[in-house]
Amino acid sequence: MTDARVETVIDTVAWVRIEDGRILCARPRGKDIFYIPGGKREGAETDLETLLREIEEELTVTLIPETARHVGTYEAAVHGPDDGVTVRMSCYTADYRGTLTASSEIDEMAWFGYADRALVPPVDQLLFDDLAAAGLLH
């Protein structure tokens, strides 16, 4: 007998903003865990279109498109009890204009070091590991 379970992949794009060895994280309204800012692609959006839209919606800043650089794509099981659901997170750095401010979608922003790794979901932890190994996250 074969396993008929279908794997579901949630396709996301995230903004990696590091300052002084710490990475910017955000806790969405009603959630108990922090995430790297970003979100799900809508329709046929490109990574860059998704990134620009999500960061403006969440943190009220405008990313500068020509400064965006891909830093890695990670996959891990979704945070929570959903078996068979994987999150794919394409990560980018980019400069920005404006003042970082949590929008109505975000309850809290925080700057995390590697010691805060347990406060983020599994896919974000993979990014934390790579950043720490590269000496970028303290």
Side-chain angles (χ1 to χ4, degrees), residues 94-121:
D95 294 333
Y96 69 95
R97 291 186 190 98
T99 302
L100 288 169
T101 306
S103 73
S104 61
E105 294 181 9
I106 302 298
D107 272 343
E108 186 178 0
M109 292 186 319
W111 293 93
F112 284 177
Y114 191 72
D116 301 304
R117 182 181 181 275
L119 301 176
V120 299

Side-chain angles (χ1 to χ4, degrees), residues 24-118:
L24 180 62
C25 293
R27 187 173 56 79
R29 188 157 314 286
K31 301 282 185 177
D32 62 352
I33 192 166
F34 283 83
Y35 297 88
I36 305 300
K40 297 176 192 170
R41 185 183 318 276
E42 290 182 359
E45 280 182 328
T46 65
D47 283 4
L48 184 58
E49 290 168 338
T50 304
L51 187 68
L52 296 173
R53 176 183 52 77
E54 284 287 347
I55 298 310
E56 188 165 356
E57 287 175 5
E58 291 182 1
L59 302 175
T60 70
V61 296
T62 302
L63 296 184
I64 303 169
E66 59 272 16
T67 66
R69 301 287 179 267
H70 184 254
V71 296
T73 299
Y74 302 88
E75 287 190 18
V78 72
H79 170 73
D82 293 332
D83 282 340
V85 178
T86 298
V87 175
R88 177 184 303 123
M89 182 174 71
S90 299
C91 299
Y92 292 83
T93 59
D95 294 333
Y96 69 95
R97 291 186 190 98
T99 302
L100 288 169
T101 306
S103 73
S104 61
E105 294 181 9
I106 302 298
D107 272 343
E108 186 178 0
M109 292 186 319
W111 293 93
F112 284 177
Y114 191 72
D116 301 304
R117 182 181 181 275

Side-chain angles (χ1 to χ4, degrees), residues 120-134:
V120 299
V123 72
D124 293 32
Q125 290 178 8
L126 297 174
L127 171 64
F128 272 49
D129 293 343
D130 277 0
L131 294 173

Side-chain angles (χ1 to χ4, degrees), residues 17-23 111-113 135-138:
R17 182 66 190 181
I18 300 171
E19 294 182 12
D20 300 321
R22 300 172 82 70
I23 188 168
W111 293 93
F112 284 177
L136 299 172
L137 195 61
H138 305 301

